[in-house]
Amino acid sequence: MATPRTDPLSLEVVELIGTVVARYYEEYDQAAAEHSLTGAQARVLRLLSMEPMPMRRIAQKLKCEPSNVTGIVDRLEARDLVERRPDPADRRVKLAAPTEKGRATAALLRNSLNFAREPLAELSEEERRVLRDLLKRMLGEGVE
């Protein structure tokens, strides 16, 4: 494992990343509230709009307890934003999937997040690509 960097530049980068994350969640929660959703409900809906998945996987991705996800999905289901369906690969497993209304709401949420759009628009395509690749590298993901 790499030794954590404690030099001033690394500490400044960590602080800036924290500020970006905090602003993202603040705006995400505001956008969610405009649709009468909590931030957690909006994040589950966003995740499911990419692909249906079992509760356990949602919990892993959001780093929370499966029982919390069950409650969130229950509330989304009551609003006709999510439905549970059998997994075609294993009928014992239930997948949470967005309804048509859920997909539309997820798209509205995604389109209302503006905080990073304007600053990103000021970067060239190459700068955005480099930023994306560096973030992926920090997360241990493959770079395209």
Side-chain angles (χ1 to χ4, degrees):
M1 182 179 267
T3 304
R5 300 236 178 217
T6 56
D7 59 279
L9 178 59
S10 294
L11 294 175
E12 182 181 11
V13 169
V14 167
E15 194 65 34
L16 287 168
I17 290 170
T19 301
V20 167
V21 168
R23 284 190 191 169
Y24 172 80
Y25 278 115
E26 184 178 311
E27 184 165 315
Y28 208 92
D29 288 346
Q30 287 172 353
E34 290 172 17
H35 296 278
S36 302
L37 297 169
T38 65
Q41 289 170 335
R43 284 185 280 284
V44 168
L45 193 56
R46 179 194 58 81
L47 197 56
L48 294 176
S49 72
M50 291 185 254
E51 67 174 308
M53 61 183 69
M55 309 290 178
R56 188 168 302 288
R57 189 140 130 249
I58 297 168
Q60 289 168 342
K61 289 200 172 272
L62 297 180
K63 302 198 179 347
C64 65
E65 291 297 317
S67 59
N68 291 349
V69 171
T70 300
I72 292 168
V73 169
D74 286 346
R75 288 185 286 286
L76 291 171
E77 192 173 33
R79 293 191 47 198
D80 192 35
L81 297 171
V82 168
E83 64 185 8
R84 288 176 170 93
R85 57 171 86 135
D87 183 343
D90 182 350
R91 298 193 59 77
R92 296 170 297 175
V93 175
K94 292 281 188 204
L95 297 179
T99 61
E100 223 22 74
K101 182 179 174 186
R103 276 190 288 283
T105 302
L108 288 170
L109 279 165
R110 187 174 44 254
N111 293 335
S112 66
L113 296 174
N114 296 315
F115 116 80
R117 277 200 194 114
E118 290 177 27
L120 284 173
E122 294 175 15
L123 300 177
S124 70
E125 185 174 344
E126 179 58 26
E127 288 170 325
R128 290 192 312 271
R129 190 174 286 115
V130 167
L131 178 59
R132 178 204 61 199
D133 292 349
L134 288 171
L135 290 170
K136 283 184 165 191
R137 192 167 138 199
M138 286 179 67
L139 294 170
E141 296 178 11
V143 177
E144 296 172 7

